[in-house]
Amino acid sequence: MEEQIVFEDNHLLVINKKVGQLVQGDKTGDEPLLDLIKNFIKKRDNKPGNVFLGLVHRIDRPTSGLVIYAKTSKALSRLTQMVKNREIEKTYWAVVAKEMIPQTQKLVHYLQKNEKNNKAIVFTKVTEGAKEAILTYNVIKTLDNYLLLEIDLETGRHHQIRAQLSKTGIPIKGDLKYGAPRSNPDGGINLHARKLQFIHPVTKEPVTIVAPVPQNDAIWRACEE
């Protein structure tokens, strides 16, 4: 757990999540990061009572990258409000197949969550029950068979990046659910929560955190070189 912590102070703890790790509990019953981190802090700091830890936002299980947890209730309430107000800038990296696509593009769609198959349905026009989803991508690197996209999110919808890129004809590498031709060996997808920028909820200092990509993936390593 120690090696996954990329930022920590008295109020916040930011983890570089591995592919397959659960951010919080779900119906699988697998132990979520929330519990693992609580146990880690309890042992590390010799805490006698319960450890307070609040989840600020989520990323999907097959995705890697940055997740913020709050260590105090004050930080949790302020950060939750900041997420609602879109005051936390989130930048993602995604690997997609090499296609003829614009170097930069703003995507605007309308997303509706299908609870049955846990998937986002994408509409190109305003649709009842669907929420507006906006992102901008830039192609920042070209590899032999893939492109590396840097993505800035304006909204935070369920499976937003995965669904919008798929609708645009460039599903994320390994993402079978959204149209990728093959899975990745680790069962994950090449989507990485790369960078967070925000004003610290307590100290009011600007915070920028960057997460290294998964080192067990040769394509990710090539992206970072």
Side-chain angles (χ1 to χ4, degrees), residues 22 26-31 61:
L22 263 181
D26 70 359
K27 60 185 179 216
T28 62
D30 295 342
E31 190 168 23
R61 189 168 192 171

Side-chain angles (χ1 to χ4, degrees), residues 146 172-176 182-191 217 220:
Y146 299 98
I172 295 166
K173 182 180 177 293
D175 198 357
L176 293 180
R182 284 182 300 282
S183 60
N184 286 345
D186 63 2
I189 64 174
N190 282 79
L191 179 62
D217 183 316
W220 269 140

Side-chain angles (χ1 to χ4, degrees), residues 195-207:
K195 186 164 75 170
L196 290 170
Q197 290 175 285
F198 56 93
I199 300 300
H200 194 290
V202 181
T203 67
K204 303 304 176 191
E205 294 288 320
V207 178

Side-chain angles (χ1 to χ4, degrees), residues 54-199:
L55 178 63
V56 175
H57 65 110
R58 301 166 183 78
I59 63 174
D60 299 339
R61 189 168 192 171
T63 303
S64 58
L66 296 168
V67 184
I68 307 172
Y69 292 89
K71 290 168 72 179
T72 62
S73 54
K74 186 202 307 194
L76 181 61
S77 62
R78 288 181 184 177
L79 282 162
T80 304
Q81 195 55 50
M82 286 165 69
V83 169
K84 275 187 190 156
N85 298 344
R86 299 181 191 169
E87 291 167 12
I88 298 177
E89 287 181 46
K90 299 174 185 173
T91 304
Y92 284 77
W93 276 9
V95 175
V96 300
K98 206 170 182 178
E99 300 283 355
M100 290 296 291
I101 58 169
Q103 198 67 18
T104 181
Q105 194 173 190
K106 184 174 185 171
L107 303 181
V108 181
H109 294 104
Y110 300 86
L111 267 54
Q112 190 174 39
K113 185 177 176 182
N114 182 334
E115 298 286 353
K116 276 186 184 166
N117 61 6
N118 188 33
K119 199 172 168 184
I121 307 164
V122 186
F123 301 95
T124 52
K125 299 192 190 79
V126 176
T127 303
E128 192 181 340
K131 294 176 177 173
E132 188 177 46
I134 306 169
L135 65 78
T136 302
Y137 78 73
N138 286 285
V139 178
I140 60 168
K141 192 159 193 172
T142 302
L143 304 171
D144 289 344
N145 300 308
Y146 299 98
L147 299 175
L148 174 62
L149 309 185
E150 187 163 86
I151 297 154
D152 291 308
L153 279 182
E154 272 187 50
T155 54
R157 308 297 182 208
H158 178 73
H159 291 182
Q160 179 179 337
I161 298 173
R162 300 167 65 182
Q164 284 194 274
L165 291 182
S166 175
K167 185 73 173 177
T168 311
I170 43 170
I172 295 166
K173 182 180 177 293
D175 198 357
L176 293 180
K177 182 170 264 196
Y178 286 96
R182 284 182 300 282
S183 60
N184 286 345
D186 63 2
I189 64 174
N190 282 79
L191 179 62
H192 181 68
R194 175 70 172 176
K195 186 164 75 170
L196 290 170
Q197 290 175 285
F198 56 93
I199 300 300

